[in-house]
Amino acid sequence: MIIIKSRKEIEKIKSSCNIVARALEELKKMVCPGITTRELDRIAEDFIVKSGGIPAFKGYRGYPSASCISVNEEIVHGIPSGRCLKDGDIVSIDLGVLLDGYYGDAAITVAVNKIDNETRKLLEVTEKSLYKAIDIAMTGNRVADISCTIQDYVEGAGYSVVREFVGHGIGRSLHEDPPVPNFGERGKGPRLKAGMVLAIEPMVNAGGSDLLILDNGWTAVTKDGRRSAHFEHTVAITEDGPLILSML
Ligand code: MF3
Ligand code: CO
């Protein structure tokens, strides 16, 4: 069941998202060769807590950390560890915050110093696919129009979309209906209505779409070992068009 949010509820989700967005800005500045993903997670958790929020991922189905930090071939749900970032790596940082009963969720992928042109293009295409999807996230269109927009653009650029993980509705729960896949057929799925709030999150692989889950039971990595990028925003559907709640 898709839960429609009031204006007031959307404001609350925006407040949660604001902590997420500011934490991501902070983390982006801290990304450098030599820092460990655990240190980044620490910064994320401290930032969220001192802002009055609760890290939404910690404890979610037993997930151990405040953030998901996925490096290079890791797609999503990278568990912060002693792994040191290196020059030329890419790092996806995914954060969720609970504040006053409502969740916010967003992710970015950041370059560690200088990355090669091929990797830069992967990041650009993934981020652009998110904004193209947001552009059509308006009343009258359908959920699969979002999905299809992402898939067409990503595959047109020669990359693949991940199938096993999808975007989602968000509000009083971190994951609500409807699922928002990054693949689909135009014109399918529920119609978008004002008051829906969606976390749209393309996960894009440089190579094939197949993935494996590591022995930790969480971390998804590409089967072919090639790199993957992830960008996510929490977006409200309004009568005046899409409103990106997780943007500063
Ligand atoms: N943004 C991801 C999602 O919505 C992150 C969830 S991490 C988890 O699925 F630890 F909470 F599962
Ligand atoms: Co999400």
Side-chain angles (χ1 to χ4, degrees):
M1 192 199 43
I2 301 175
I3 302 166
I4 298 294
K5 279 82 183 178
S6 67
R7 267 212 165 87
K8 216 168 136 188
E9 289 181 291
I10 290 174
E11 277 309 309
K12 290 196 178 199
I13 298 171
K14 191 175 177 184
S15 300
S16 307
C17 285
N18 184 262
I19 299 176
V20 173
R22 286 188 294 117
L24 287 174
E25 273 305 304
E26 194 67 27
L27 289 162
K28 205 169 168 178
K29 285 188 231 153
M30 299 306 296
V31 165
C32 65
I35 197 164
T36 66
T37 56
R38 190 179 286 124
E39 285 169 321
L40 289 173
D41 180 68
R42 186 60 205 248
I43 295 164
E45 181 160 3
D46 286 351
F47 189 98
I48 292 167
V49 170
K50 97 171 185 300
S51 307
I54 297 168
F57 297 168
K58 202 170 184 174
Y60 180 87
R61 297 186 185 202
Y63 186 75
S65 306
S67 60
C68 296
I69 305 191
S70 310
V71 183
N72 295 341
E73 77 288 350
E74 294 174 348
I75 300 168
V76 281
H77 303 162
I79 298 178
S81 70
R83 180 172 182 168
C84 254
L85 298 181
K86 296 193 313 290
D87 200 354
D89 283 348
I90 52 170
V91 57
S92 303
I93 307 171
D94 190 351
L95 286 184
V97 166
L98 173 63
L99 179 73
D100 200 11
Y102 289 84
Y103 286 90
D105 187 6
I108 53 172
T109 302
V110 184
V112 184
N113 261 11
K114 215 172 145 41
I115 51 172
D116 59 72
N117 289 334
E118 215 172 300
T119 305
R120 184 182 331 270
K121 184 162 171 246
L122 173 68
L123 300 196
E124 280 169 8
V125 167
T126 308
E127 187 169 25
K128 186 111 185 266
S129 76
L130 172 58
Y131 285 105
K132 280 181 175 288
I134 292 171
D135 276 345
I136 64 132
M138 53 178 105
T139 55
N141 287 338
R142 290 177 184 267
V143 169
D145 297 331
I146 293 174
S147 310
C148 183
T149 298
I150 294 169
Q151 182 178 21
D152 283 356
Y153 181 68
V154 165
E155 291 181 352
Y159 299 135
S160 64
V161 289
V162 169
R163 318 246 161 185
E164 288 83 348
F165 299 97
V166 298
H168 48 94
I170 182 167
R172 280 195 172 278
S173 305
L174 177 60
H175 296 132
E176 293 183 359
D177 279 340
V180 185
N182 298 307
F183 57 94
E185 241 179 279
R186 209 168 290 285
K188 296 268 168 80
R191 218 178 263 289
L192 298 174
K193 293 208 174 74
M196 287 184 184
V197 180
L198 305 176
I200 305 176
E201 47 180 322
M203 286 149 263
V204 175
N205 295 351
S209 64
D210 287 354
L211 61 76
L212 300 168
I213 304 292
L214 297 184
D215 285 341
N216 64 26
W218 277 102
T219 309
V221 299
T222 59
K223 196 169 173 192
D224 59 16
R226 295 185 66 189
R227 291 178 166 195
S228 185
H230 180 205
F231 284 85
E232 174 179 24
H233 270 309
T234 297
V235 180
I237 314 298
T238 79
E239 294 296 354
D240 306 321
L243 191 62
I244 305 179
L245 303 177
S246 50
M247 196 145 78
L248 288 178

